[in-house]
Amino acid sequence: MDRSEKGSLAEVKHVVLVLSGKGGVGKSTITAELALALIHAGKKVGILDVDLCGPSIPRMLRVGKPEVHQCDAGWVPVYADAQQQLALMSIGFLLEDSDEAVVWRGPKKTALIGQFVSDVAWGELDVLLVDTPPGTSDEHLAVLENLRKHRVDGAVLVTTPQAVSTGDVRREITFCKKTGVKILGIVENMSGFVCPHCSECSNIFSKGGGEELAKLTGSVFLGSVPLDPLLAASLEEGRDFLQEFPESSTYTAICDIANTLLSSLDA
């Protein structure tokens, strides 16, 4: 077995892309919370953050800016927990200054994504979640190209309820079909607002757009996640929302989505 095989995805059971045609719908939020839910279900999880211009995962999981080390098999991922159940790799770990802008042309982005896929020593993982930027651009094509020699289980698509978002996600569905990526399901994020005082959920935007999109496109609807101030605060501060608020409806929504996804992967 050569270095690229040892240092890449040979021991990763499932690879799942997190996609959306729209920016600001909460792909990184869903990625982070799915990872935490899977860990609480006893799984070993990795997150590959390929949103090169806006890496949010390091902050959301409060890992700061650790040094990335190398071993014989490649780059050693950064672990977000002492038990080493959650492994991470992000350009956020490689920037000298967190405020530094990544002003790169396509070829340089493609080269780094290639390194992330082939040169990170992930080791044994039950699920690797790939957090992507919005759209259907160079980064997405680079990820798929570099993953071709490995099995990609499929993609979770994230949308908000409004038609302007679901319209863009339709294009992402077309992208998946053109590139042969299986759609594992659609998540409707920011579906209602949970009052921090009484916990009642109000539909301040709209509701049901993601579920309707799933019906129209013949996709699985994984579930809805509301706008929850407690979840937002947890992500801002890098705390584990699922551990701290197990009685909340948002906790139930996230865990149900993670369990449905897990059942689909293990089927």
Side-chain angles (χ1 to χ4, degrees), residues 52 105-115 138-139 142 145-146:
L52 303 184
R105 294 189 184 277
K108 194 169 182 181
K109 289 181 180 180
T110 300
L112 181 62
I113 289 170
Q115 278 191 283
D138 284 350
E139 289 95 328
E145 240 171 58
N146 283 282

Side-chain angles (χ1 to χ4, degrees), residues 73 76 92 98 146 165 170 172 190 195 204 236 252 259:
V76 179
S98 59
N146 283 282
S165 177
R170 274 177 187 269
E172 199 76 35
M190 306 184 200
C195 175
I204 58 172
E236 282 287 311
T252 303
N259 290 333

Side-chain angles (χ1 to χ4, degrees), residues 43-247:
K43 303 300 178 183
K44 192 167 184 180
V45 183
I47 298 178
L48 174 57
D49 181 5
V50 295
D51 191 347
L52 303 184
C53 296
S56 305
I57 292 297
R59 175 170 181 167
M60 288 180 169
L61 294 171
R62 204 177 186 179
V63 289
K65 190 188 167 299
E67 285 187 25
V68 175
H69 300 285
Q70 286 199 317
C71 64
D72 290 342
W75 287 344
V76 179
V78 172
Y79 290 95
D81 62 324
Q83 295 75 32
Q84 298 194 346
Q85 292 296 108
L86 179 52
L88 313 172
M89 183 51 67
S90 169
I91 193 174
F93 302 142
L94 307 178
L95 299 175
E96 289 186 16
D97 182 352
S98 59
D99 292 331
E100 186 179 337
V102 177
V103 188
W104 291 356
R105 294 189 184 277
K108 194 169 182 181
K109 289 181 180 180
T110 300
L112 181 62
I113 289 170
Q115 278 191 283
F116 277 170
V117 171
S118 64
D119 292 349
V120 177
W122 292 107
E124 288 187 28
L125 292 179
D126 292 298
V127 183
L128 176 65
L129 299 170
V130 184
D131 184 27
T132 67
T136 53
S137 58
D138 284 350
E139 289 95 328
H140 305 80
L141 294 172
V143 167
L144 290 175
E145 240 171 58
N146 283 282
L147 287 172
R148 283 201 192 284
K149 53 183 173 283
H150 308 283
R151 184 168 61 85
V152 178
D153 290 77
V156 170
L157 304 184
V158 182
T159 186
T160 53
Q162 305 95 318
V164 69
S165 177
T166 57
D168 285 340
V169 176
R170 274 177 187 269
R171 286 185 277 278
E172 199 76 35
I173 290 171
T174 303
F175 170 82
C176 288
K177 289 178 178 176
K178 283 185 176 180
T179 54
V181 176
K182 180 182 177 182
I183 298 169
L184 297 171
I186 294 173
V187 174
E188 181 176 300
N189 194 27
M190 306 184 200
S191 181
F193 172 76
V194 177
C195 175
H197 304 294
C198 68
S199 298
E200 184 179 340
C201 190
S202 305
N203 298 325
I204 58 172
F205 295 136
S206 58
K207 189 176 177 67
E211 189 168 9
E212 186 63 26
L213 178 64
K215 286 177 184 173
L216 287 171
T217 58
S219 307
V220 174
F221 182 63
L222 293 173
S224 303
V225 178
L227 272 170
D228 189 330
L230 293 174
L231 174 59
S234 297
L235 290 164
E236 282 287 311
E237 297 164 16
R239 293 182 286 110
D240 186 342
F241 170 83
L242 299 178
Q243 192 172 50
E244 293 190 17
F245 302 102
E247 304 301 318

Side-chain angles (χ1 to χ4, degrees), residues 251-266:
Y251 168 94
T252 303
I254 293 168
C255 290
D256 285 351
I257 290 168
N259 290 333
T260 303
L261 176 62
L262 206 50
S263 298
S264 170
L265 293 174
D266 291 338

